[in-house]
mmCIF file of all heavy atoms in Angstrom:
data_model
loop_
_atom_site.group_PDB
_atom_site.id
_atom_site.type_symbol
_atom_site.label_atom_id
_atom_site.label_comp_id
_atom_site.label_asym_id
_atom_site.label_seq_id
_atom_site.Cartn_x
_atom_site.Cartn_y
_atom_site.Cartn_z
ATOM 1 N N VAL A 12 -1.002 -5.919 7.076
ATOM 2 C CA VAL A 12 -1.077 -4.529 7.551
ATOM 3 C C VAL A 12 0.248 -3.807 7.211
ATOM 4 O O VAL A 12 1.337 -4.305 7.523
ATOM 5 C CB VAL A 12 -1.327 -4.464 9.073
ATOM 6 C CG1 VAL A 12 -1.415 -3.023 9.525
ATOM 7 C CG2 VAL A 12 -2.598 -5.208 9.405
ATOM 8 N N ILE A 13 0.097 -2.649 6.582
ATOM 9 C CA ILE A 13 1.252 -1.819 6.206
ATOM 10 C C ILE A 13 1.109 -0.444 6.854
ATOM 11 O O ILE A 13 0.422 0.422 6.346
ATOM 12 C CB ILE A 13 1.341 -1.642 4.680
ATOM 13 C CG1 ILE A 13 1.290 -2.998 3.987
ATOM 14 C CG2 ILE A 13 2.634 -0.912 4.306
ATOM 15 C CD1 ILE A 13 1.157 -2.912 2.457
ATOM 16 N N PRO A 14 1.728 -0.248 8.027
ATOM 17 C CA PRO A 14 1.709 1.102 8.590
ATOM 18 C C PRO A 14 2.704 1.974 7.836
ATOM 19 O O PRO A 14 3.785 1.534 7.485
ATOM 20 C CB PRO A 14 2.199 0.888 10.057
ATOM 21 C CG PRO A 14 3.008 -0.372 9.988
ATOM 22 C CD PRO A 14 2.446 -1.186 8.876
ATOM 23 N N CYS A 15 2.348 3.208 7.492
ATOM 24 C CA CYS A 15 3.252 4.037 6.712
ATOM 25 C C CYS A 15 3.055 5.509 6.966
ATOM 26 O O CYS A 15 2.037 5.937 7.515
ATOM 27 C CB CYS A 15 3.077 3.697 5.214
ATOM 28 S SG CYS A 15 1.531 4.312 4.488
ATOM 29 N N LEU A 16 4.076 6.248 6.577
ATOM 30 C CA LEU A 16 4.065 7.694 6.613
ATOM 31 C C LEU A 16 4.968 8.214 5.523
ATOM 32 O O LEU A 16 6.181 7.921 5.506
ATOM 33 C CB LEU A 16 4.535 8.198 7.975
ATOM 34 C CG LEU A 16 4.674 9.720 8.131
ATOM 35 C CD1 LEU A 16 3.292 10.378 8.012
ATOM 36 C CD2 LEU A 16 5.327 10.063 9.471
ATOM 37 N N ASN A 17 4.380 8.928 4.541
ATOM 38 C CA ASN A 17 5.150 9.497 3.436
ATOM 39 C C ASN A 17 5.971 8.421 2.690
ATOM 40 O O ASN A 17 7.197 8.507 2.605
ATOM 41 C CB ASN A 17 6.038 10.622 3.921
ATOM 42 C CG ASN A 17 5.255 11.816 4.384
ATOM 43 O OD1 ASN A 17 4.178 12.123 3.866
ATOM 44 N ND2 ASN A 17 5.756 12.540 5.374
ATOM 45 N N GLU A 18 5.279 7.448 2.167
ATOM 46 C CA GLU A 18 5.933 6.340 1.442
ATOM 47 C C GLU A 18 5.482 6.306 -0.025
ATOM 48 O O GLU A 18 5.318 5.237 -0.604
ATOM 49 C CB GLU A 18 5.637 5.023 2.114
ATOM 50 C CG GLU A 18 6.139 4.883 3.513
ATOM 51 C CD GLU A 18 7.648 4.704 3.591
ATOM 52 O OE1 GLU A 18 8.318 4.729 2.523
ATOM 53 O OE2 GLU A 18 8.197 4.535 4.724
ATOM 54 N N ALA A 19 5.255 7.469 -0.594
ATOM 55 C CA ALA A 19 4.786 7.549 -1.989
ATOM 56 C C ALA A 19 5.726 6.855 -2.985
ATOM 57 O O ALA A 19 5.282 6.344 -4.016
ATOM 58 C CB ALA A 19 4.546 9.003 -2.405
ATOM 59 N N ARG A 20 7.003 6.843 -2.663
ATOM 60 C CA ARG A 20 7.964 6.238 -3.594
ATOM 61 C C ARG A 20 7.840 4.721 -3.655
ATOM 62 O O ARG A 20 8.198 4.097 -4.654
ATOM 63 C CB ARG A 20 9.380 6.608 -3.181
ATOM 64 C CG ARG A 20 9.783 8.060 -3.400
ATOM 65 C CD ARG A 20 11.234 8.284 -3.048
ATOM 66 N NE ARG A 20 11.508 7.942 -1.653
ATOM 67 C CZ ARG A 20 12.737 7.706 -1.194
ATOM 68 N NH1 ARG A 20 13.787 7.758 -1.982
ATOM 69 N NH2 ARG A 20 12.900 7.439 0.095
ATOM 70 N N PHE A 21 7.323 4.120 -2.588
ATOM 71 C CA PHE A 21 7.357 2.676 -2.475
ATOM 72 C C PHE A 21 6.007 1.984 -2.426
ATOM 73 O O PHE A 21 5.913 0.795 -2.765
ATOM 74 C CB PHE A 21 8.166 2.254 -1.222
ATOM 75 C CG PHE A 21 9.526 2.852 -1.171
ATOM 76 C CD1 PHE A 21 9.829 3.870 -0.251
ATOM 77 C CD2 PHE A 21 10.528 2.430 -2.036
ATOM 78 C CE1 PHE A 21 11.080 4.422 -0.170
ATOM 79 C CE2 PHE A 21 11.810 2.978 -1.945
ATOM 80 C CZ PHE A 21 12.093 3.982 -1.016
ATOM 81 N N ILE A 22 4.962 2.695 -2.001
ATOM 82 C CA ILE A 22 3.728 2.025 -1.647
ATOM 83 C C ILE A 22 3.044 1.347 -2.852
ATOM 84 O O ILE A 22 2.512 0.237 -2.742
ATOM 85 C CB ILE A 22 2.760 2.981 -0.911
ATOM 86 C CG1 ILE A 22 1.627 2.198 -0.270
ATOM 87 C CG2 ILE A 22 2.251 4.063 -1.859
ATOM 88 C CD1 ILE A 22 2.076 1.272 0.821
ATOM 89 N N ALA A 23 3.075 2.001 -4.015
ATOM 90 C CA ALA A 23 2.417 1.409 -5.182
ATOM 91 C C ALA A 23 3.070 0.096 -5.580
ATOM 92 O O ALA A 23 2.400 -0.866 -5.895
ATOM 93 C CB ALA A 23 2.427 2.436 -6.338
ATOM 94 N N GLY A 24 4.381 0.073 -5.561
ATOM 95 C CA GLY A 24 5.113 -1.144 -5.923
ATOM 96 C C GLY A 24 4.816 -2.278 -4.965
ATOM 97 O O GLY A 24 4.655 -3.434 -5.384
ATOM 98 N N LEU A 25 4.742 -1.961 -3.679
ATOM 99 C CA LEU A 25 4.464 -2.991 -2.688
ATOM 100 C C LEU A 25 3.054 -3.519 -2.838
ATOM 101 O O LEU A 25 2.822 -4.757 -2.796
ATOM 102 C CB LEU A 25 4.676 -2.438 -1.267
ATOM 103 C CG LEU A 25 4.430 -3.428 -0.123
ATOM 104 C CD1 LEU A 25 5.302 -4.662 -0.260
ATOM 105 C CD2 LEU A 25 4.646 -2.728 1.232
ATOM 106 N N LEU A 26 2.076 -2.648 -3.074
ATOM 107 C CA LEU A 26 0.713 -3.091 -3.246
ATOM 108 C C LEU A 26 0.569 -3.974 -4.522
ATOM 109 O O LEU A 26 -0.147 -4.967 -4.504
ATOM 110 C CB LEU A 26 -0.256 -1.895 -3.356
ATOM 111 C CG LEU A 26 -0.406 -1.078 -2.070
ATOM 112 C CD1 LEU A 26 -1.295 0.111 -2.279
ATOM 113 C CD2 LEU A 26 -0.963 -1.971 -0.929
ATOM 114 N N HIS A 27 1.259 -3.597 -5.551
ATOM 115 C CA HIS A 27 1.258 -4.403 -6.753
ATOM 116 C C HIS A 27 1.858 -5.772 -6.493
ATOM 117 O O HIS A 27 1.354 -6.815 -6.945
ATOM 118 C CB HIS A 27 2.031 -3.715 -7.855
ATOM 119 C CG HIS A 27 2.130 -4.514 -9.136
ATOM 120 N ND1 HIS A 27 1.035 -4.723 -9.990
ATOM 121 C CD2 HIS A 27 3.173 -5.161 -9.726
ATOM 122 C CE1 HIS A 27 1.406 -5.465 -11.001
ATOM 123 N NE2 HIS A 27 2.710 -5.752 -10.860
ATOM 124 N N GLN A 28 2.954 -5.820 -5.745
ATOM 125 C CA GLN A 28 3.593 -7.090 -5.418
ATOM 126 C C GLN A 28 2.671 -7.996 -4.586
ATOM 127 O O GLN A 28 2.691 -9.214 -4.732
ATOM 128 C CB GLN A 28 4.887 -6.835 -4.616
ATOM 129 C CG GLN A 28 5.655 -8.102 -4.276
ATOM 130 C CD GLN A 28 6.905 -7.787 -3.414
ATOM 131 O OE1 GLN A 28 7.048 -6.688 -2.934
ATOM 132 N NE2 GLN A 28 7.772 -8.773 -3.250
ATOM 133 N N LEU A 29 1.858 -7.387 -3.734
ATOM 134 C CA LEU A 29 1.003 -8.158 -2.828
ATOM 135 C C LEU A 29 -0.335 -8.583 -3.460
ATOM 136 O O LEU A 29 -1.060 -9.368 -2.887
ATOM 137 C CB LEU A 29 0.710 -7.348 -1.570
ATOM 138 C CG LEU A 29 1.891 -7.143 -0.618
ATOM 139 C CD1 LEU A 29 1.489 -6.191 0.459
ATOM 140 C CD2 LEU A 29 2.347 -8.467 -0.027
ATOM 141 N N GLU A 30 -0.630 -8.060 -4.643
ATOM 142 C CA GLU A 30 -1.906 -8.338 -5.276
ATOM 143 C C GLU A 30 -2.149 -9.841 -5.451
ATOM 144 O O GLU A 30 -3.207 -10.375 -5.123
ATOM 145 C CB GLU A 30 -1.984 -7.586 -6.621
ATOM 146 C CG GLU A 30 -3.323 -7.729 -7.319
ATOM 147 C CD GLU A 30 -3.357 -6.905 -8.620
ATOM 148 O OE1 GLU A 30 -2.802 -5.813 -8.607
ATOM 149 O OE2 GLU A 30 -3.946 -7.410 -9.601
ATOM 150 N N GLY A 31 -1.174 -10.511 -6.031
ATOM 151 C CA GLY A 31 -1.311 -11.947 -6.278
ATOM 152 C C GLY A 31 -1.356 -12.776 -5.015
ATOM 153 O O GLY A 31 -2.277 -13.579 -4.811
ATOM 154 N N PRO A 32 -0.407 -12.597 -4.044
ATOM 155 C CA PRO A 32 -0.472 -13.349 -2.815
ATOM 156 C C PRO A 32 -1.762 -13.141 -2.007
ATOM 157 O O PRO A 32 -2.320 -14.094 -1.472
ATOM 158 C CB PRO A 32 0.759 -12.815 -2.058
ATOM 159 C CG PRO A 32 1.713 -12.389 -3.097
ATOM 160 C CD PRO A 32 0.845 -11.838 -4.206
ATOM 161 N N ALA A 33 -2.254 -11.884 -1.978
ATOM 162 C CA ALA A 33 -3.494 -11.653 -1.226
ATOM 163 C C ALA A 33 -4.663 -12.400 -1.861
ATOM 164 O O ALA A 33 -5.506 -12.938 -1.106
ATOM 165 C CB ALA A 33 -3.789 -10.133 -1.223
ATOM 166 N N ALA A 34 -4.708 -12.458 -3.171
ATOM 167 C CA ALA A 34 -5.801 -13.193 -3.835
ATOM 168 C C ALA A 34 -5.676 -14.681 -3.570
ATOM 169 O O ALA A 34 -6.671 -15.347 -3.286
ATOM 170 C CB ALA A 34 -5.775 -12.886 -5.326
ATOM 171 N N ARG A 35 -4.483 -15.206 -3.692
ATOM 172 C CA ARG A 35 -4.303 -16.641 -3.518
ATOM 173 C C ARG A 35 -4.567 -17.062 -2.065
ATOM 174 O O ARG A 35 -5.032 -18.191 -1.806
ATOM 175 C CB ARG A 35 -2.866 -17.060 -3.920
ATOM 176 C CG ARG A 35 -2.632 -16.975 -5.416
ATOM 177 C CD ARG A 35 -1.322 -17.592 -5.803
ATOM 178 N NE ARG A 35 -0.164 -16.826 -5.355
ATOM 179 C CZ ARG A 35 0.396 -15.828 -6.070
ATOM 180 N NH1 ARG A 35 -0.155 -15.450 -7.217
ATOM 181 N NH2 ARG A 35 1.452 -15.178 -5.574
ATOM 182 N N LEU A 36 -4.273 -16.207 -1.120
ATOM 183 C CA LEU A 36 -4.442 -16.532 0.311
ATOM 184 C C LEU A 36 -5.808 -16.090 0.818
ATOM 185 O O LEU A 36 -6.108 -16.273 2.008
ATOM 186 C CB LEU A 36 -3.351 -15.883 1.131
ATOM 187 C CG LEU A 36 -1.925 -16.378 0.880
ATOM 188 C CD1 LEU A 36 -0.911 -15.469 1.540
ATOM 189 C CD2 LEU A 36 -1.751 -17.805 1.385
ATOM 190 N N ASP A 37 -6.626 -15.469 -0.034
ATOM 191 C CA ASP A 37 -7.923 -14.900 0.387
ATOM 192 C C ASP A 37 -7.709 -13.879 1.518
ATOM 193 O O ASP A 37 -8.462 -13.896 2.493
ATOM 194 C CB ASP A 37 -8.886 -16.037 0.803
ATOM 195 C CG ASP A 37 -10.333 -15.516 0.966
ATOM 196 O OD1 ASP A 37 -10.648 -14.451 0.365
ATOM 197 O OD2 ASP A 37 -11.089 -16.140 1.713
ATOM 198 N N GLY A 38 -6.689 -13.065 1.376
ATOM 199 C CA GLY A 38 -6.349 -12.117 2.407
ATOM 200 C C GLY A 38 -6.749 -10.707 2.059
ATOM 201 O O GLY A 38 -7.266 -10.423 0.970
ATOM 202 N N HIS A 39 -6.573 -9.803 3.010
ATOM 203 C CA HIS A 39 -6.907 -8.386 2.799
ATOM 204 C C HIS A 39 -5.695 -7.526 3.176
ATOM 205 O O HIS A 39 -4.985 -7.832 4.140
ATOM 206 C CB HIS A 39 -8.122 -7.989 3.645
ATOM 207 C CG HIS A 39 -8.692 -6.666 3.300
ATOM 208 N ND1 HIS A 39 -9.475 -6.456 2.170
ATOM 209 C CD2 HIS A 39 -8.597 -5.467 3.897
ATOM 210 C CE1 HIS A 39 -9.817 -5.195 2.095
ATOM 211 N NE2 HIS A 39 -9.311 -4.561 3.118
ATOM 212 N N ILE A 40 -5.483 -6.474 2.436
ATOM 213 C CA ILE A 40 -4.344 -5.574 2.666
ATOM 214 C C ILE A 40 -4.847 -4.266 3.211
ATOM 215 O O ILE A 40 -5.741 -3.626 2.615
ATOM 216 C CB ILE A 40 -3.569 -5.304 1.360
ATOM 217 C CG1 ILE A 40 -3.146 -6.642 0.712
ATOM 218 C CG2 ILE A 40 -2.395 -4.427 1.609
ATOM 219 C CD1 ILE A 40 -2.736 -6.469 -0.757
ATOM 220 N N VAL A 41 -4.348 -3.851 4.343
ATOM 221 C CA VAL A 41 -4.753 -2.574 4.951
ATOM 222 C C VAL A 41 -3.546 -1.675 5.096
ATOM 223 O O VAL A 41 -2.564 -2.013 5.757
ATOM 224 C CB VAL A 41 -5.381 -2.774 6.325
ATOM 225 C CG1 VAL A 41 -5.851 -1.426 6.899
ATOM 226 C CG2 VAL A 41 -6.552 -3.748 6.263
ATOM 227 N N VAL A 42 -3.553 -0.539 4.427
ATOM 228 C CA VAL A 42 -2.517 0.485 4.571
ATOM 229 C C VAL A 42 -3.042 1.470 5.632
ATOM 230 O O VAL A 42 -4.106 2.056 5.493
ATOM 231 C CB VAL A 42 -2.238 1.226 3.272
ATOM 232 C CG1 VAL A 42 -1.174 2.313 3.494
ATOM 233 C CG2 VAL A 42 -1.755 0.231 2.208
ATOM 234 N N VAL A 43 -2.271 1.621 6.685
ATOM 235 C CA VAL A 43 -2.681 2.512 7.802
ATOM 236 C C VAL A 43 -1.724 3.719 7.780
ATOM 237 O O VAL A 43 -0.559 3.603 8.106
ATOM 238 C CB VAL A 43 -2.601 1.808 9.169
ATOM 239 C CG1 VAL A 43 -3.296 2.639 10.213
ATOM 240 C CG2 VAL A 43 -3.272 0.437 9.081
ATOM 241 N N ASP A 44 -2.257 4.834 7.358
ATOM 242 C CA ASP A 44 -1.417 6.028 7.121
ATOM 243 C C ASP A 44 -1.416 6.968 8.346
ATOM 244 O O ASP A 44 -2.477 7.247 8.918
ATOM 245 C CB ASP A 44 -1.950 6.763 5.920
ATOM 246 C CG ASP A 44 -1.038 7.945 5.558
ATOM 247 O OD1 ASP A 44 0.014 7.693 4.925
ATOM 248 O OD2 ASP A 44 -1.374 9.079 5.937
ATOM 249 N N GLY A 45 -0.224 7.416 8.700
ATOM 250 C CA GLY A 45 -0.072 8.275 9.859
ATOM 251 C C GLY A 45 -0.060 9.757 9.581
ATOM 252 O O GLY A 45 0.480 10.515 10.349
ATOM 253 N N GLY A 46 -0.645 10.171 8.436
ATOM 254 C CA GLY A 46 -0.693 11.609 8.123
ATOM 255 C C GLY A 46 0.254 12.009 7.014
ATOM 256 O O GLY A 46 0.874 13.078 7.068
ATOM 257 N N SER A 47 0.354 11.190 5.975
ATOM 258 C CA SER A 47 1.274 11.486 4.870
ATOM 259 C C SER A 47 0.899 12.763 4.158
ATOM 260 O O SER A 47 -0.285 13.073 4.026
ATOM 261 C CB SER A 47 1.257 10.306 3.875
ATOM 262 O OG SER A 47 1.821 9.141 4.447
ATOM 263 N N THR A 48 1.923 13.485 3.670
ATOM 264 C CA THR A 48 1.678 14.705 2.900
ATOM 265 C C THR A 48 2.306 14.630 1.531
ATOM 266 O O THR A 48 2.375 15.641 0.815
ATOM 267 C CB THR A 48 2.291 15.905 3.655
ATOM 268 O OG1 THR A 48 3.691 15.664 3.902
ATOM 269 C CG2 THR A 48 1.603 16.097 4.991
ATOM 270 N N ASP A 49 2.766 13.427 1.116
ATOM 271 C CA ASP A 49 3.489 13.296 -0.179
ATOM 272 C C ASP A 49 2.667 12.602 -1.231
ATOM 273 O O ASP A 49 3.193 12.186 -2.257
ATOM 274 C CB ASP A 49 4.807 12.536 0.058
ATOM 275 C CG ASP A 49 4.562 11.080 0.477
ATOM 276 O OD1 ASP A 49 3.445 10.754 0.897
ATOM 277 O OD2 ASP A 49 5.517 10.295 0.387
ATOM 278 N N GLY A 50 1.376 12.398 -1.008
ATOM 279 C CA GLY A 50 0.543 11.719 -1.988
ATOM 280 C C GLY A 50 0.338 10.240 -1.699
ATOM 281 O O GLY A 50 -0.302 9.550 -2.518
ATOM 282 N N THR A 51 0.859 9.721 -0.607
ATOM 283 C CA THR A 51 0.715 8.285 -0.305
ATOM 284 C C THR A 51 -0.766 7.869 -0.253
ATOM 285 O O THR A 51 -1.176 6.881 -0.850
ATOM 286 C CB THR A 51 1.356 7.962 1.052
ATOM 287 O OG1 THR A 51 2.782 8.197 0.943
ATOM 288 C CG2 THR A 51 1.134 6.493 1.416
ATOM 289 N N CYS A 52 -1.580 8.658 0.450
ATOM 290 C CA CYS A 52 -2.999 8.304 0.565
ATOM 291 C C CYS A 52 -3.703 8.275 -0.762
ATOM 292 O O CYS A 52 -4.565 7.391 -1.013
ATOM 293 C CB CYS A 52 -3.675 9.275 1.532
ATOM 294 S SG CYS A 52 -3.131 9.173 3.220
ATOM 295 N N GLU A 53 -3.385 9.228 -1.618
ATOM 296 C CA GLU A 53 -4.020 9.268 -2.932
ATOM 297 C C GLU A 53 -3.659 8.047 -3.753
ATOM 298 O O GLU A 53 -4.523 7.478 -4.474
ATOM 299 C CB GLU A 53 -3.605 10.545 -3.655
ATOM 300 C CG GLU A 53 -4.169 11.828 -3.096
ATOM 301 C CD GLU A 53 -3.467 12.298 -1.833
ATOM 302 O OE1 GLU A 53 -2.451 11.661 -1.452
ATOM 303 O OE2 GLU A 53 -3.925 13.293 -1.244
ATOM 304 N N ILE A 54 -2.416 7.597 -3.642
ATOM 305 C CA ILE A 54 -1.973 6.396 -4.370
ATOM 306 C C ILE A 54 -2.742 5.183 -3.865
ATOM 307 O O ILE A 54 -3.270 4.367 -4.642
ATOM 308 C CB ILE A 54 -0.483 6.190 -4.217
ATOM 309 C CG1 ILE A 54 0.306 7.341 -4.906
ATOM 310 C CG2 ILE A 54 -0.029 4.847 -4.780
ATOM 311 C CD1 ILE A 54 1.796 7.337 -4.604
ATOM 312 N N VAL A 55 -2.847 5.023 -2.552
ATOM 313 C CA VAL A 55 -3.520 3.882 -1.976
ATOM 314 C C VAL A 55 -5.008 3.901 -2.325
ATOM 315 O O VAL A 55 -5.605 2.877 -2.671
ATOM 316 C CB VAL A 55 -3.333 3.824 -0.453
ATOM 317 C CG1 VAL A 55 -4.122 2.672 0.185
ATOM 318 C CG2 VAL A 55 -1.851 3.712 -0.092
ATOM 319 N N ALA A 56 -5.621 5.080 -2.238
ATOM 320 C CA ALA A 56 -7.033 5.206 -2.599
ATOM 321 C C ALA A 56 -7.315 4.795 -4.014
ATOM 322 O O ALA A 56 -8.339 4.178 -4.345
ATOM 323 C CB ALA A 56 -7.511 6.639 -2.300
ATOM 324 N N LYS A 57 -6.416 5.158 -4.917
ATOM 325 C CA LYS A 57 -6.575 4.817 -6.331
ATOM 326 C C LYS A 57 -6.506 3.299 -6.540
ATOM 327 O O LYS A 57 -7.293 2.724 -7.287
ATOM 328 C CB LYS A 57 -5.506 5.505 -7.169
ATOM 329 C CG LYS A 57 -5.620 5.299 -8.640
ATOM 330 C CD LYS A 57 -4.573 6.082 -9.387
ATOM 331 C CE LYS A 57 -4.697 5.877 -10.920
ATOM 332 N NZ LYS A 57 -3.674 6.668 -11.641
ATOM 333 N N VAL A 58 -5.586 2.646 -5.824
ATOM 334 C CA VAL A 58 -5.466 1.169 -5.912
ATOM 335 C C VAL A 58 -6.718 0.543 -5.323
ATOM 336 O O VAL A 58 -7.273 -0.405 -5.865
ATOM 337 C CB VAL A 58 -4.211 0.689 -5.214
ATOM 338 C CG1 VAL A 58 -4.160 -0.838 -5.169
ATOM 339 C CG2 VAL A 58 -2.956 1.239 -5.889
#
């Protein structure tokens, strides 16, 4: 779980870093956004 607010600068890199571990561990990644206005949600939705 990644709670975030206006983390457009970092969120894509973190999701990319977690892609391999999540697959190997059969896990799920949830970004919980608190109302970002900097494009964070759009980045997460694209991923």
Side-chain angles (χ1 to χ4, degrees):
V12 180
I13 308 170
C15 71
L16 176 64
N17 293 328
E18 298 286 2
R20 291 185 299 164
F21 306 108
I22 193 66
L25 180 57
L26 292 177
H27 177 73
Q28 181 184 12
L29 290 173
E30 183 177 322
R35 290 190 291 272
L36 294 168
D37 192 21
H39 192 76
I40 305 164
V41 182
V42 178
V43 192
D44 185 79
S47 294
T48 57
D49 67 343
T51 296
C52 292
E53 290 78 4
I54 294 171
V55 177
K57 184 176 180 180
V58 174

